[in-house]
Amino acid sequence: MIELDTDLLSRQNARERVRNAKKAQAIFATFSQQQIDAIVKNVAQEAAHHAESLAKMAAEETGFGNWQDKVLKNRFASLRVYDAIKDMKTVGIIHDDQEKKVMDVGVPLGVICALVPSTNPTSTVIYKTLIALKAGNAIIFSPHPGARQCSWKAIEIVKRAAEAAGAPAGIVDGITELTLEATSELMHSKDVSLILATGGEGMVRAAYASGTPTISGGPGNGPAFIERSADIHHAVKDIITSKTFDNGVICASEQSIIVERCIYDEVHRELEAQGAYFMNESEAAKMAALLLRPNGAINPKTVGKTALYLSQMAGFCVPASTRVLIAEQTTVAHSNPYSREKLCPVLGLYVEEDWKAACHRVMELLTNEGLGHTLVIHTRNQDVIRQFCLEKPVNRILINTPAALGGIGATTNITPALTLGCGAVGGGSSSDNVGPMNLINIRRVGYGVRSIDELRAPGSRAEPQPCITTPAASAHRSILDDARFTSAAPATHGDDRFAASASVEDEISEQNVERVIRQVLERLGK
């Protein structure tokens, strides 16, 4: 017997998962909305039940973040997402407008390939399973090799819960031989309808290059602008809460602070009071050297680590109470890590003269990285909010809230999601917080309601020539003055254009009146 190489085994494993998923989805596609909803509910409840154990596994295996915050993320991905999608109509007739004579039918995409990041290895599995099943699809996961154990545990939990509630076997699965070849096999399979990509920039780029339709999240680089009218204590609290949540691994979290000069001293004092440490020039240089690899990519050794741990890695000491590290900056560049995404509690800080200068700095930062993603504004000035909302090239603008939690829809009423689309400006296909409606096709049914003659504009055909009227058909005389509307006896008054009146019934009714008027107008038009 020939022994297959690991890469060939992994490809075969991926192909088998796709075949099984395709068969399962063909059965699942016949399920009613009620059956699907029961399955989704059971998956959400079972995932929430294991939220803590999965969080501890993820923190231990990856070394990113902290398990306490991961519990919240797992519960968000299960219960909060479920609560947002449970009443959605996604399969069968999802909209029927009797007045306009149009109808929408929800049609599942088929088999979805889901890439899972190491930063959110269990919550992403839960969330993507719920939205895929709700839309009537099968889903196959490709976990990150650095989080394979905790991701596989999450896959087993949601898979078992789905099948226990009546879903066909194979509707949820994941590849067990984790190689680049296996992931590539999934992404290029003709039986995979969509790639739902959350992960590093290289993997997302590979997904789009596969030729399979792809929905992805993108890198964040969200600026936090503290405008002079803001509640400074609350603004600082939100920023630090967000940047320290799970040690900063959520891509919507703040990456830099922009402050108006007139309030800088107060903001500085408040930041220090709430646990921020301002690095000096030497310390900031040491940290900058640590944050990025020589090729400009994020150094994974810094991801999800605490401020204390990072300072020790960089070789300087900070107070034990330090929660975030801040470096004051004046420049924006791809080579400057403080003006880019940092998946850890490190922030750049820019001081600007006024809100207009802050606008320019925001644009500079987003153009550097993070187009289409997220920014947050702390202000009480509605004019500033409107100006930012109209002009800034992001798809999530958050007001007076922690960005990491507001962007995913935890502290805001934005759609709850863990895949945050960056739209065309960010190189993606969707600007949404991705949910079930992104994972269906909508078949539109339209009844004919007007003829081609009614579509022709008056100016598109020759206008009728004006006719010379006789005194009997004076323009001052109304059609309704005709004796037929007041008398049962026909009266033509010698005008043969009314000859058709002989066939009109004697009884006066709304239908007969309309018929007579049409006949008169037709004759007049000759």
Side-chain angles (χ1 to χ4, degrees):
M1 182 176 179
I2 299 175
E3 185 175 344
L4 295 177
D5 292 336
T6 302
D7 59 337
L8 295 177
L9 280 171
S10 67
R11 284 184 178 274
Q12 184 61 29
N13 176 268
R15 288 173 185 169
E16 289 176 3
R17 296 296 189 274
V18 173
R19 277 197 293 268
N20 293 339
K22 187 176 181 181
K23 292 176 183 176
Q25 198 279 326
I27 298 170
F28 197 52
T30 67
F31 281 27
S32 67
Q33 186 75 72
Q34 290 73 23
Q35 289 173 298
I36 288 175
D37 289 350
I39 292 167
V40 170
K41 181 178 182 179
N42 197 54
V43 170
Q45 291 177 338
E46 189 66 15
H49 180 70
H50 291 86
E52 184 172 321
S53 60
L54 288 174
K56 289 178 177 178
M57 280 189 69
E60 182 177 353
E61 183 178 5
T62 65
F64 299 158
N66 62 79
W67 71 265
Q68 293 90 343
D69 288 342
K70 291 185 188 297
V71 172
L72 191 154
K73 284 199 294 188
N74 288 338
R75 290 181 64 82
F76 169 84
S78 52
L79 300 180
R80 180 73 181 90
V81 169
Y82 170 72
D83 190 56
I85 69 175
K86 64 182 180 180
D87 295 324
M88 288 182 182
K89 291 182 179 180
T90 53
V91 297
I93 298 173
I94 62 176
H95 177 69
D96 188 2
D97 190 327
Q98 294 290 334
E99 182 179 350
K100 293 184 178 179
K101 301 293 185 183
V102 292
M103 185 166 63
D104 293 345
V105 178
V107 182
L109 299 182
V111 178
I112 292 174
C113 163
L115 308 182
V116 184
S118 56
T119 49
N120 301 295
T122 58
S123 54
T124 298
V125 168
I126 297 167
Y127 150 72
K128 289 187 176 181
T129 298
L130 290 180
I131 64 172
L133 294 182
K134 177 68 177 182
N137 300 300
I139 187 165
I140 303 174
F141 289 98
S142 176
H144 190 284
R148 68 179 72 205
Q149 298 302 323
C150 60
S151 289
W152 248 105
K153 183 64 176 177
I155 293 168
E156 288 174 1
I157 289 169
V158 294
K159 177 180 179 180
R160 188 169 58 245
E163 293 179 11
I171 199 71
V172 179
D173 215 334
I175 55 175
T176 53
E177 304 292 334
L178 295 183
T179 66
L180 288 176
E181 289 81 9
T183 301
S184 178
E185 186 71 33
L186 276 183
M187 293 195 297
H188 287 83
S189 173
K190 62 181 176 60
D191 291 324
V192 167
S193 302
L194 179 81
I195 301 170
L196 190 52
T198 311
E201 194 172 351
M203 184 60 76
V204 170
R205 215 181 290 123
Y208 278 104
S210 70
T212 302
T214 298
I215 296 177
S216 69
N221 189 30
F225 173 41
I226 305 179
E227 192 263 341
R228 67 183 66 189
S229 69
D231 180 332
I232 292 175
H233 172 80
H234 190 270
V236 169
K237 181 180 179 181
D238 281 347
I239 291 169
I240 292 181
T241 295
S242 175
K243 196 58 178 168
T244 57
F245 182 80
D246 208 17
N247 292 342
V249 299
I250 293 181
C251 57
S253 64
E254 297 84 347
Q255 304 301 322
S256 55
I257 302 172
I258 302 171
V259 184
E260 288 194 82
R261 189 172 300 280
C262 62
I263 59 169
Y264 171 69
D265 290 342
E266 188 178 352
V267 171
H268 190 287
R269 286 193 299 271
E270 193 63 47
L271 282 165
E272 288 188 323
Q274 295 194 37
Y277 177 82
F278 283 78
M279 295 179 284
N280 61 35
E281 189 173 339
S282 172
E283 292 166 341
K286 291 178 181 178
M287 183 58 63
L290 184 66
L291 290 170
L292 296 180
R293 286 173 162 176
N295 64 359
I298 292 176
N299 181 358
K301 293 181 180 180
T302 67
V303 174
K305 299 299 190 289
T306 65
L308 289 174
Y309 185 91
L310 291 168
S311 63
Q312 291 169 1
M313 283 183 67
F316 60 89
C317 296
V318 298
S321 59
T322 300
R323 301 174 66 195
V324 298
L325 301 170
I326 295 177
E328 294 193 42
Q329 297 292 300
T330 57
T331 63
V332 174
H334 190 72
S335 59
N336 179 1
Y338 296 110
S339 61
R340 293 184 55 192
E341 183 180 48
K342 303 164 287 297
L343 299 178
C344 58
V346 175
L347 290 160
L349 186 143
Y350 296 84
V351 182
E352 305 298 339
E353 292 302 324
D354 53 31
W355 73 269
K356 290 183 180 180
C359 273
H360 293 305
R361 183 65 78 182
V362 165
M363 289 298 299
E364 194 177 7
L365 286 163
L366 291 173
T367 303
N368 189 49
E369 187 172 45
L371 279 171
H373 209 290
T374 304
L375 73 84
V376 59
I377 310 168
H378 294 276
T379 181
R380 294 169 178 161
N381 188 323
Q382 292 300 315
D383 290 334
V384 169
I385 293 171
R386 289 190 185 94
Q387 196 72 24
F388 271 71
C389 292
L390 289 171
E391 295 185 357
K392 298 300 168 284
V394 293
N395 297 306
R396 279 155 293 275
I397 295 181
L398 311 172
I399 312 300
N400 301 329
T401 192
L405 299 170
I408 64 173
T411 60
T412 64
N413 285 327
I414 292 175
T415 302
L418 291 176
T419 297
L420 310 181
C422 292
V425 70
S429 59
S430 174
S431 61
D432 291 342
N433 279 24
V434 179
M437 300 308 290
N438 297 100
L439 306 183
I440 64 172
N441 286 322
I442 298 178
R443 182 180 298 144
R444 271 140 181 132
V445 180
Y447 291 80
V449 295
R450 62 188 67 88
S451 70
I452 190 170
D453 292 332
E454 294 173 277
L455 299 178
R456 299 186 191 279
S460 66
R461 62 177 185 270
E463 293 295 331
Q465 294 297 317
C467 62
I468 300 174
T469 60
T470 64
S474 170
H476 298 289
R477 183 177 178 184
S478 169
I479 292 174
L480 297 178
D481 291 335
D482 192 286
R484 287 171 299 170
F485 297 115
T486 57
S487 170
T492 63
H493 298 290
D495 191 338
D496 63 357
R497 290 176 300 174
F498 294 83
S501 63
S503 63
V504 179
E505 296 179 6
D506 290 343
E507 181 184 357
I508 296 176
S509 66
E510 182 179 350
Q511 290 78 11
N512 287 341
V513 169
E514 290 180 0
R515 186 180 300 115
V516 170
I517 292 173
R518 284 199 302 272
Q519 291 170 346
V520 170
L521 291 176
E522 287 172 2
R523 296 272 182 178
L524 288 172
K526 288 184 178 179

